[in-house]
Amino acid sequence: MKTRKSIKSSRGNTSGRKGSQNMLKRFDAVMAKLKIILLVVIPLLAVGGLLYFFTHAVPSVFKMRTVELAGNEHLTDDELKNIGGIRSDESLLTMSSRKVYEKLKESPWIQAAAVRKEYPSKLLISIRETEPFALLDMKGRMFIVDDRGRMLEELKDNSVPFLPVIMSDPYNEKEAFREAVNLAKVIKNMGVLQKKQRIEIIAHQPNEVAANLDGVHVKVGAGEHEDKLTRLGEIEQEIGKRHIPVAYIDLRFAKKAIVKPVNEVIR
């Protein structure tokens, strides 16, 4: 039989065990929270700090301060930057050289391009421009075209560079326009361009392509342009010796030419 003292002692032991258990539970809860902080909160703070560092601190260090351009003669520096989508406040880290290159290549004025970053703050762009090849007179509107017949830009002012003028419609007279571009290439390659003050190529039908060379109307037709212009050179020498005023020269027939003097046309 337990005495009163032993009963009190037993109760005290029970209370002590419960207190220890509660302390252990609280300790476990605290450790669990610490574990959450260590495994979740701290990594998130670290990632957030790194993101802030790379999106704010680092870009400001590598901010683009210089853009060096090379190869642009017809395009101004500002036009070239606009074509490439280049902003002065960009960071070299976030800028895509590939996107700048692709935008530059979309312009018909740019034949080749190279884009290079030079850290910490310089962007280098080198281009090779498309050379103006001819002027296209399309229903009174004048366009600069390249040697493939692509329109580079419309002439807005009165200044007209010395280039062959093609009178045609590349949309509705495609085949004739191609013949005119091919003829203009042969004219340039054979040096005719340097010998004449004015060259116009009229192209509405492929077989009726003609050229106005310093006021002399030359019917060229389609194909064999080099052979035809070689014959034209020989004919012009003979006409020059005889001082014959010519209304037109027809080169459309193989291995021969028809020369119509002005007086014969008047009759």
Side-chain angles (χ1 to χ4, degrees):
M1 187 175 187
K2 291 183 179 180
T3 62
R4 183 177 296 177
K5 186 176 181 180
S6 64
I7 292 172
K8 286 181 179 180
S9 177
S10 176
R11 288 176 180 173
N13 292 337
T14 304
S15 299
R17 284 197 298 272
K18 288 182 178 180
S20 298
Q21 291 174 354
N22 289 335
M23 287 182 65
L24 287 172
K25 289 179 180 179
R26 285 196 296 270
F27 179 78
D28 290 340
V30 171
M31 292 302 296
K33 290 179 181 179
L34 285 173
K35 190 178 292 186
I36 292 173
I37 292 173
L38 290 171
L39 296 177
V40 179
V41 177
I42 290 179
L44 286 175
L45 290 174
V47 171
L50 289 172
L51 286 174
Y52 179 84
F53 179 72
F54 282 106
T55 56
H56 293 81
V58 173
S60 64
V61 174
F62 293 100
K63 184 178 179 180
M64 183 175 58
R65 304 185 190 281
T66 306
V67 181
E68 288 190 4
L69 307 173
N72 55 315
E73 296 180 6
H74 301 95
L75 296 171
T76 66
D77 289 357
D78 288 339
E79 286 173 335
L80 191 54
K81 290 176 185 178
N82 288 334
I83 292 171
I86 299 167
R87 302 192 313 269
S88 58
D89 60 344
E90 279 191 276
S91 168
L92 288 184
L93 286 179
T94 56
M95 173 188 289
S96 169
S97 299
R98 183 68 185 176
K99 286 185 178 179
V100 173
Y101 169 81
E102 289 173 350
K103 287 181 179 179
L104 291 173
K105 286 293 290 177
E106 288 176 0
S107 170
W109 268 111
I110 299 174
Q111 195 172 63
V115 181
R116 181 165 64 88
K117 298 177 183 179
E118 193 172 277
Y119 290 100
S121 60
K122 186 185 292 185
L123 182 68
L124 305 175
I125 296 178
S126 177
I127 68 167
R128 185 171 74 250
E129 287 185 331
T130 303
E131 286 295 324
F133 176 72
L135 298 178
L136 170 65
D137 185 345
M138 186 169 63
K139 300 177 181 178
R141 296 175 65 186
M142 199 73 76
F143 298 87
I144 300 175
V145 298
D146 66 6
D147 59 358
R148 289 187 286 176
R150 296 186 307 170
M151 295 183 191
L152 300 178
E153 67 176 67
E154 184 175 3
L155 284 179
K156 296 294 185 181
D157 53 22
N158 294 325
S159 61
V160 178
F162 176 65
L163 294 169
V165 177
I166 298 174
M167 304 176 71
S168 184
D169 184 341
Y171 300 105
N172 299 315
E173 300 164 345
K174 293 181 180 179
E175 191 175 346
F177 179 67
R178 281 196 295 269
E179 283 292 333
V181 171
N182 291 334
L183 176 58
K185 288 179 182 178
V186 175
I187 286 174
K188 180 179 179 181
N189 294 337
M190 294 184 68
V192 179
L193 193 62
Q194 287 74 29
K195 301 175 184 177
K196 304 295 181 181
Q197 296 297 316
R198 187 183 64 167
I199 296 177
E200 293 177 347
I201 300 174
I202 304 98
H204 302 298
Q205 296 291 334
N207 294 324
E208 299 296 328
V209 172
N212 187 333
L213 305 176
D214 286 346
V216 177
H217 189 76
V218 182
K219 298 180 181 182
V220 182
E224 300 179 351
H225 297 138
E226 187 171 346
D227 178 64
K228 292 174 180 177
L229 290 181
T230 299
R231 280 187 281 143
L232 176 64
E234 297 169 354
I235 293 168
E236 285 182 325
Q237 288 182 358
E238 189 65 26
I239 290 172
K241 291 177 182 177
R242 298 186 182 186
H243 303 287
I244 302 172
V246 175
Y248 70 84
I249 301 171
D250 195 340
L251 301 172
R252 292 174 295 172
F253 306 99
K255 298 182 180 180
K256 70 175 182 177
I258 298 174
V259 179
K260 289 291 183 181
V262 172
N263 57 357
E264 183 177 331
V265 174
I266 293 175
R267 291 175 190 172

